[in-house]
Amino acid sequence: MKSKPTSFDIAHMAGVSQSTVSRALSNSPLVNAETREKVQRIANELNYKVDKNASSLRTQRSKTIALLLFEDPSSDDSQINPFFISMLGSITKACSTAGYDLLVSFQNLQDDWHAEYEDSNKADGIILLGYGDYLDYQSKLEQLEKQETHFVRWGAHDPNHPGISVGCHNYQGGYLVTEHLIKRGRKRFAFIGVADSGAPEFMARFQGMENALIQHNLIDQFIGQFDAIFTLEAGEEATEMLLEEGTLPDAIVCASDLIAIGVQRAMQAKGLICPNDIAVVGFDNIPVSEFTNPPLTTVKQDTQKAGKVLVDKLLRLIEGETASDMLLPTELVIRKSS
Amino acid sequence: MKSKPTSFDIAHMAGVSQSTVSRALSNSPLVNAETREKVQRIANELNYKVDKNASSLRTQRSKTIALLLFEDPSSDDSQINPFFISMLGSITKACSTAGYDLLVSFQNLQDDWHAEYEDSNKADGIILLGYGDYLDYQSKLEQLEKQETHFVRWGAHDPNHPGISVGCHNYQGGYLVTEHLIKRGRKRFAFIGVADSGAPEFMARFQGMENALIQHNLIDQFIGQFDAIFTLEAGEEATEMLLEEGTLPDAIVCASDLIAIGVQRAMQAKGLICPNDIAVVGFDNIPVSEFTNPPLTTVKQDTQKAGKVLVDKLLRLIEGETASDMLLPTELVIRKSS
DNA sequence: CTGAAAGCGCTTACAG
DNA sequence: CTGAAAGCGCTTACAG
């Protein structure tokens, strides 16, 4: 059969009206059980599927969510941040459970992506995952809000930021991992990662560490915070600067696993042993962290839960309900680097 | 403005008919340049976007491609095979360049996914990426073909397999990496990875190795092929069996990087040094392979090109043109594990 | 170059 | 419980 059957074809074969076919296939209670079964059987035989475009046009609901992964234009296309990959997996699953399709798009920050998806009725709402400087995309988030686009984003909780955010408890994670290092006798800390309002998640991790040091009277011995964006290379460079500073730390807390791997590499190049000379800890628990040399102690973000929560919140917004920010707990993963 | 503007709203404001608005926005040559500009300006001001559902319904083209990533049900949801992640990146990019949206779905082999996307007009065609036993999904591919669904898949080239496939030259890759090891003086080879018709890609890699050994008169010293599916754990277990076999190999060729990482782990547990005791090589060049201990010599598949070719072939099929299978060349990546 | 009109395939109020 | 009819927002042949 060349052309696809329509609901009229099914109706004809079942000897009922097209309206009844539509009702039967959507399991409407308004249709006789026997009629429904007959219609469904015939639809199955013909391999009939409801036309998504017609259905969406009529109901003004696409039952589709758009996932926008945006990133610094600097980064390589094929190298998606591994942390977001895990998120992608759990978001896909959550969408499918909710009966939604998922449209995926990678965007650069320059791109004119705002709201395109919902404005054209391709999607009922948008999930934003991104890294890069928060300040660069704040204005786009504000525009989304102004256009009343339904969206949620992964990121830091801040009442001043537009939209609903879901994120992990970065402050707690920074605190936990620092406390762990202190218990193991580390005293001279350094932090690698940008810690300003352009990177609110990194900043919260930094503050968690800082507070743990204060509580344990170690803040006087704090060696310093060294800027690094989210990449391995940035971690490597920052470490080179740190190691030229004079006093060596005995623990380096990194804002992410990728940074921490860069730190380990830079140390190796200088002949420093991890953890004997310096303990190194990361954040994210990306799959690679288990295989570095030595395996990385890190803070795990629960991506399974995160994806589910993001989708749930977004669906609430789509339904016209309210939703609020959410912080997910973090979990310490202790390996040999500490 | 609460409700979205339609082409009638634009027409009203521009003082033209709705047909003219539609033409102007699709850059039809049938419209006066001045009129077109005026319409486009107004559309921009109102942030008007053509309704995707209405447009797709009318043209019977969704300008959307569905990417189905299917995998063995055994594997963990959040752990997508890293190789396919790179593919996902380049496919997304290629779709966006062609003006297509990308619908992403992860499926288990049991799922009843066949053709659902094209039958409901959600997508104009399907790209299939998968791992697991080929024989398990052959029947589904056959059904896709029977339903005249447009699809391409990543995988082994085989004239008997349904549909168009794009894959890398697995045989060549296996040959190249083996030749490299032979040049470095290795003589006693083992292969880890299933090598049967359920895993045609692995089998081609195995045959490439086998042929290199034959050509260099080393086949007599071949220790054996040990089954392992595509996971790290499988590589670990297979190595344990291999190491109990008696004669130790001095080189292990693995069917994938994940397997090779498992091999390295199992060797480490037994106190064997890589590459001094045994050289280990992988296949895929996944991002992790650079960070293993020691970094892995492997065969790179050009995922950038692969994604582009998959999308191009699929678009040809959608346009009603013909397309044929394609094998992409592989490239040796030499690191410290050999 | 422009406009009036048909129709893509549904869902759902309305009437019975 | 069922059917006839309207209409979602476009694109495009048709007529001018």
Side-chain angles (χ1 to χ4, degrees):
Chain A
M1 175 175 284
K2 259 301 192 196
S3 64
K4 292 170 190 168
T6 71
S7 52
F8 283 93
D9 298 326
I10 309 295
H12 185 73
M13 297 187 66
V16 297
S17 75
Q18 182 267 341
S19 340
T20 300
V21 170
S22 179
R23 290 195 191 95
L25 294 176
S26 61
N27 285 315
S28 160
L30 285 174
V31 72
N32 181 309
E34 228 169 90
T35 315
R36 170 165 50 238
E37 269 163 42
K38 185 172 168 197
V39 169
Q40 291 186 344
R41 186 174 41 72
I42 294 175
N44 263 333
E45 277 166 14
L46 289 190
N47 206 25
Y48 167 78
K49 296 279 186 308
V50 172
D51 184 289
K52 185 78 182 313
N53 298 123
S55 165
S56 297
L57 174 60
R58 179 58 232 244
T59 59
Q60 297 291 77
R61 280 293 192 82
S62 65
K63 280 274 196 175
T64 301
I65 285 174
L67 174 63
L68 297 194
L69 231 163
F70 51 95
E71 49 183 335
D72 250 348
S74 55
S75 64
D76 179 354
D77 290 312
S78 63
Q79 293 295 25
I80 307 165
N81 189 317
F83 172 72
F84 290 109
I85 295 305
S86 312
M87 295 288 287
L88 171 62
S90 69
I91 289 171
T92 309
K93 200 179 153 194
C95 282
S96 137
T97 304
Y100 273 71
D101 287 320
L102 186 69
L103 223 37
V104 170
S105 177
F106 297 157
Q107 309 275 339
N108 282 337
L109 279 176
Q110 311 102 312
D111 290 351
D112 190 34
W113 48 262
H114 24 289
E116 153 89 48
Y117 286 93
E118 189 163 340
D119 284 348
S120 62
N121 282 332
K122 284 179 196 174
D124 298 328
I126 300 177
I127 296 176
L128 298 168
L129 294 184
Y131 37 108
D133 194 334
Y134 171 74
L135 301 172
D136 286 347
Y137 57 86
Q138 180 166 22
S139 66
K140 301 203 173 183
L141 296 187
E142 283 162 359
Q143 193 182 342
L144 283 182
E145 192 157 61
K146 210 178 69 197
Q147 291 177 207
E148 302 184 30
T149 298
H150 304 109
F151 74 101
V152 294
R153 65 190 172 79
W154 176 257
H157 164 74
D158 184 327
N160 298 318
H161 290 179
I164 303 298
S165 81
V166 175
C168 88
H169 203 322
N170 293 295
Y171 176 92
Q172 179 203 44
Y175 193 98
L176 279 178
V177 74
T178 306
E179 203 173 38
H180 156 74
L181 288 165
I182 293 172
K183 274 191 200 142
R184 298 243 167 139
R186 306 289 168 166
K187 295 189 187 315
R188 298 186 312 280
F189 283 74
F191 183 89
I192 296 191
V194 287
D196 57 35
S197 55
E201 298 177 86
F202 282 10
M203 186 158 70
R205 294 168 195 179
F206 173 73
Q207 289 167 338
M209 176 209 66
E210 199 172 38
N211 230 310
L213 293 182
I214 291 172
Q215 305 246 325
H216 290 84
N217 292 313
L218 288 170
I219 194 70
D220 294 343
Q221 301 182 55
F222 181 58
I223 290 185
Q225 174 267 329
F226 295 79
D227 276 353
I229 58 168
F230 50 86
T231 62
L232 195 152
E233 289 72 19
E236 219 165 348
E237 283 164 28
T239 308
E240 283 157 14
M241 293 189 55
L242 161 62
L243 296 180
E244 285 169 8
E245 277 284 303
T247 326
L248 282 190
D250 59 12
I252 299 180
V253 176
C254 302
S256 79
D257 284 349
L258 283 181
I259 292 176
I261 296 171
V263 171
Q264 288 185 318
R265 278 185 137 188
M267 281 175 56
Q268 211 159 11
K270 294 273 182 191
L272 291 165
I273 307 292
C274 171
N276 304 32
D277 297 317
I278 307 176
V280 176
V281 300
F283 208 107
D284 286 347
N285 193 35
I286 60 176
V288 198
S289 65
E290 199 179 337
F291 305 115
T292 60
N293 186 20
L296 206 55
T297 290
T298 188
V299 178
K300 178 181 169 178
Q301 310 195 56
D302 188 345
T303 52
Q304 286 302 305
K305 178 134 187 219
K308 194 174 161 10
V309 169
L310 280 167
V311 172
D312 286 350
K313 297 258 178 204
L314 182 57
L315 292 182
R316 286 184 62 91
L317 292 177
I318 292 171
E319 299 296 340
E321 298 167 41
T322 57
S324 50
D325 282 11
M326 181 155 172
L327 274 185
L328 300 171
T330 58
E331 188 188 326
L332 193 57
V333 178
I334 299 175
R335 300 204 187 93
K336 299 210 170 133
S337 73
S338 64
Chain B
M1 173 175 289
K2 260 300 196 196
S3 65
K4 290 169 190 168
T6 72
S7 54
F8 282 95
D9 298 324
I10 310 294
H12 185 71
M13 297 187 66
V16 297
S17 75
Q18 183 267 341
S19 338
T20 300
V21 170
S22 179
R23 289 196 191 96
L25 294 176
S26 62
N27 285 315
S28 160
L30 285 175
V31 72
N32 182 310
E34 229 169 274
T35 316
R36 170 165 49 238
E37 270 163 42
K38 185 170 164 199
V39 169
Q40 291 186 344
R41 186 173 41 71
I42 294 176
N44 263 333
E45 279 165 14
L46 290 191
N47 206 25
Y48 168 78
K49 296 280 186 307
V50 172
D51 185 289
K52 185 78 183 312
N53 297 125
S55 165
S56 297
L57 174 60
R58 179 58 232 239
T59 60
Q60 297 292 75
R61 278 298 190 82
S62 66
K63 280 270 193 181
T64 301
I65 286 174
L67 174 63
L68 298 194
L69 231 163
F70 52 95
E71 48 184 335
D72 250 347
S74 54
S75 64
D76 178 355
D77 290 311
S78 63
Q79 293 292 25
I80 309 164
N81 190 319
F83 172 72
F84 289 110
I85 296 303
S86 313
M87 295 288 286
L88 171 62
S90 70
I91 288 171
T92 310
K93 202 178 150 195
C95 281
S96 138
T97 304
Y100 274 70
D101 287 319
L102 185 69
L103 223 40
V104 170
S105 178
F106 299 157
Q107 310 274 341
N108 282 337
L109 279 176
Q110 310 102 313
D111 292 350
D112 190 35
W113 48 260
H114 25 292
E116 153 90 49
Y117 287 92
E118 189 162 339
D119 284 347
S120 63
N121 281 332
K122 286 181 196 173
D124 298 329
I126 299 177
I127 296 176
L128 297 168
L129 294 183
Y131 37 110
D133 193 333
Y134 170 76
L135 300 173
D136 287 348
Y137 57 87
Q138 181 165 20
S139 67
K140 302 202 172 181
L141 297 186
E142 281 162 1
Q143 193 182 342
L144 284 181
E145 192 156 63
K146 209 178 69 194
Q147 292 177 206
E148 301 186 29
T149 299
H150 304 111
F151 74 100
V152 295
R153 64 188 173 79
W154 177 258
H157 164 76
D158 184 326
N160 298 318
H161 290 181
I164 303 298
S165 81
V166 175
C168 88
H169 203 321
N170 293 297
Y171 177 92
Q172 178 203 46
Y175 192 98
L176 280 177
V177 74
T178 305
E179 204 172 37
H180 155 74
L181 288 165
I182 294 172
K183 274 190 199 142
R184 297 243 168 137
R186 306 288 167 166
K187 295 189 187 315
R188 298 186 313 279
F189 283 74
F191 183 89
I192 296 190
V194 286
D196 58 35
S197 54
E201 298 177 85
F202 283 10
M203 185 158 72
R205 294 168 195 178
F206 173 74
Q207 288 168 337
M209 177 207 67
E210 198 172 40
N211 230 309
L213 293 182
I214 291 171
Q215 304 247 325
H216 291 84
N217 292 314
L218 288 170
I219 194 70
D220 294 343
Q221 300 182 54
F222 180 58
I223 291 184
Q225 174 267 329
F226 295 77
D227 276 351
I229 59 168
F230 49 86
T231 62
L232 195 152
E233 288 73 19
E236 220 166 345
E237 282 165 28
T239 308
E240 283 158 14
M241 292 189 53
L242 161 60
L243 296 180
E244 284 169 8
E245 277 283 302
T247 326
L248 282 190
D250 59 14
I252 300 180
V253 175
C254 302
S256 79
D257 284 348
L258 283 180
I259 291 176
I261 295 170
V263 171
Q264 288 186 316
R265 278 186 137 187
M267 282 176 55
Q268 212 158 11
K270 294 272 183 189
L272 289 165
I273 308 290
C274 171
N276 303 33
D277 296 318
I278 307 175
V280 176
V281 299
F283 209 107
D284 286 346
N285 193 36
I286 60 176
V288 199
S289 64
E290 200 180 334
F291 305 115
T292 59
N293 186 19
L296 206 55
T297 290
T298 188
V299 177
K300 178 182 170 179
Q301 309 195 56
D302 189 345
T303 53
Q304 286 302 307
K305 178 132 187 223
K308 194 173 161 5
V309 170
L310 280 167
V311 171
D312 286 352
K313 297 258 179 205
L314 181 56
L315 292 182
R316 286 184 63 90
L317 292 178
I318 291 172
E319 298 298 339
E321 298 167 42
T322 56
S324 50
D325 282 11
M326 181 155 172
L327 273 185
L328 300 171
T330 58
E331 188 189 327
L332 194 56
V333 177
I334 299 175
R335 299 205 187 92
K336 299 208 169 134
S337 72
S338 64

